[in-house]
Amino acid sequence: DRAAMGQHDQQIEEWARALTGKTATNSYASLSAFAMRHNSGDLGRRVAIALGHYNYKKGSYAQARNWLDRASGDTLLGDYVLYWCAEADMGLNNPTRALEELRTLRSDYPESVITEQTLEALSKAAIEASEPQIALDALTAYSQTDTKPNLLFARAQAREQSGNLIGAYTDYIARSEEHTSELQSHHD
């Protein structure tokens, strides 16, 4: 029923906004109850994503992971679910699991709007898992790496860990130049 869905949407939006206010505890409880009642539907999954993100931001990584697991299967926001699951796993000191999720995100959602954040997170996870070659392969496969200071920095770190110090130095210099030109373009 469309009217009921619109009403749910409005109520969820109010609760979500209140998560940052004085009534955060009540809003969290209301969103949790809604997500539990509607866990098989898209709306319930979206609420679970919001709760997962909220818990991640609070540093409650295990709780975030639980909510994000409930959100798996979301067809519209599947890339975000994988990304935040990986971030929660990094918070839980499990870079190997995070790396698997981020590699899945890259293969299942190659044109995701969060590609750059994904590559940064993948690089960090790969380095923490002592798998710098995985980061290097992913960054090499992405055509925009050479024009993005954050990705040049990630590649430099991966090259450094893999023992390619000249390549790392080259990327650190290129990152510095890209960053400088980026700053200049903002001031022009």
Side-chain angles (χ1 to χ4, degrees):
D1 176 52
R2 263 191 201 289
M5 289 303 281
Q7 210 170 15
H8 283 314
D9 289 347
Q10 189 175 15
Q11 183 63 61
I12 289 167
E13 186 176 337
E14 287 173 24
W15 288 332
R17 287 179 197 273
L19 281 175
T20 59
K22 293 179 180 174
T23 60
T25 303
N26 290 340
S27 296
Y28 187 91
S30 298
L31 285 167
S32 297
F34 184 91
M36 299 294 257
R37 279 193 314 273
H38 298 88
N39 70 343
S40 63
D42 286 341
L43 201 51
R45 286 189 191 102
R46 305 274 156 71
V47 170
I49 293 169
L51 291 167
H53 185 259
Y54 174 81
N55 280 285
Y56 173 82
K57 292 288 188 188
K58 293 285 188 188
S60 301
Y61 304 120
Q63 187 67 23
R65 184 62 211 222
N66 287 337
W67 282 116
L68 292 163
D69 284 342
R70 288 180 174 277
S72 68
D74 188 291
T75 53
L76 182 63
L77 299 174
D79 51 347
Y80 284 90
V81 173
L82 285 167
Y83 178 81
W84 287 110
C85 281
E87 289 289 348
D89 286 333
M90 289 296 289
L92 292 167
N93 200 26
N94 191 345
T96 304
R97 185 173 178 188
L99 188 55
E100 289 173 30
E101 289 154 346
L102 292 163
R103 291 177 84 183
T104 299
L105 194 163
R106 286 295 298 138
S107 66
D108 291 359
Y109 303 92
E111 303 297 322
S112 173
V113 298
I114 57 171
T115 293
E116 287 180 36
Q117 297 98 309
T118 299
L119 287 169
E120 283 184 82
L122 185 146
S123 296
K124 184 179 178 190
I127 288 168
E128 288 191 26
S130 299
E131 297 280 357
Q133 192 59 49
I134 292 172
L136 291 171
D137 292 345
L139 291 163
T140 300
Y142 184 59
S143 65
Q144 299 295 310
T145 295
D146 289 336
T147 63
K148 305 293 182 181
N150 53 339
L151 297 181
L152 284 168
F153 186 72
R155 188 171 68 189
Q157 290 179 313
R159 283 180 167 172
E160 187 175 346
Q161 189 185 57
S162 69
N164 179 354
L165 299 182
I166 293 172
Y169 174 79
T170 303
D171 281 344
Y172 284 129
I173 295 298
R175 180 207 185 258
S176 176
E177 291 169 356
E178 277 293 323
H179 189 66
T180 301
S181 69
E182 209 174 73
L183 288 174
Q184 286 174 341
S185 70
H186 288 299
H187 292 295
D188 291 342

